[in-house]
Amino acid sequence: MSSPTAFITGASSGIGRACAAKLAENRYQLVLLARREEKLAELAAELSKTPVHIIAQDINDRPALDSAIAALPAQFSNIDVLLNNAGLALGLEPADQTDWDDWQTMIETNCTSLAFLTRKLLPAMRARNSGHIINMGSTAGTYAYPGVNVYGASKAFVEHFSLALRSDLLGTNIHVCNLEPGLIAGTEFSNTRFHGDDEKAALVYQNCEPLLPEDIAEAVHWVVSQPARMNINRMEIMPVCQAPAGLAVHKA
Ligand code: 8X3
């Protein structure tokens, strides 16, 4: 039997990388997309037993992405699992003090490019009447906290897009899941959020035990391994050290 194919965005580090390793272990062949070619090549070398096709480019360069999809080698052209993992948070300032470019980058990456890639790969899934789309949401899409503004809103988009996709796909065997991790270490998330400030990023994970990318990779593998009759609409995962934020009341 031929290997199923998983297409993973943001594959060079963190959750994407861990998912690539987990799926490779479970006989998937991989299409890996990320900007950093050397990181992708390193990962492909590590997964030497797994056929890997690398797409080294910015996910927001949509014409290039379109061409890369059209140029997928025949062996990798039937995508069984699309893991829309690429995404980022930039800044944690109150809304009136944020950088407009940061907001635009988050909307572009977390919403527009995710929708674009899904739109591109969906017709082939529908034609084959099978497939899994796993979108990397976040607990921040459900629970607001100070400074989460556009990042949280972009993840709320991802959640609603996932649920809406399932509605459009009712009657097909295409599965859609919004996977919603909370606090997670071992990724570049906080470092990116704080624009490369390692000290600030380290403080986020101090004195607690956050999730790890491998935890999310387990969840991804579990989601795609369930009987075809099952669809996991949403999966929210927090570390035990985190809980949904309480409502805030400001008293003068
Ligand atoms: C990020 C989760 O807890 O850092 O997607 O807001 S959290």
Side-chain angles (χ1 to χ4, degrees), residues 138-140 145 151 181-183 189 193 242:
S138 167
T139 50
Y145 57 85
Y151 174 67
L183 188 69
F189 178 83
R193 171 174 261 180
Q242 188 181 35

Side-chain angles (χ1 to χ4, degrees), residues 177-248:
C177 175
N178 195 52
L179 192 46
E180 304 162 12
L183 188 69
I184 178 161
T187 75
E188 295 169 358
F189 178 83
S190 287
N191 191 276
T192 304
R193 171 174 261 180
F194 298 122
H195 296 284
D197 186 332
D198 293 331
E199 250 172 70
K200 257 193 184 170
L203 283 177
V204 175
Y205 310 109
Q206 209 177 41
N207 301 327
C208 63
E209 194 177 354
L211 299 171
L212 292 174
E214 290 71 24
D215 302 331
I216 304 307
E218 282 293 328
V220 165
H221 181 241
W222 184 82
V223 167
V224 299
S225 305
Q226 296 316 298
R229 64 178 177 275
M230 266 173 75
N231 189 81
I232 315 299
N233 295 339
R234 298 175 56 234
M235 189 191 273
E236 178 183 300
I237 308 176
M238 283 186 184
V240 169
C241 67
Q242 188 181 35
L247 290 176

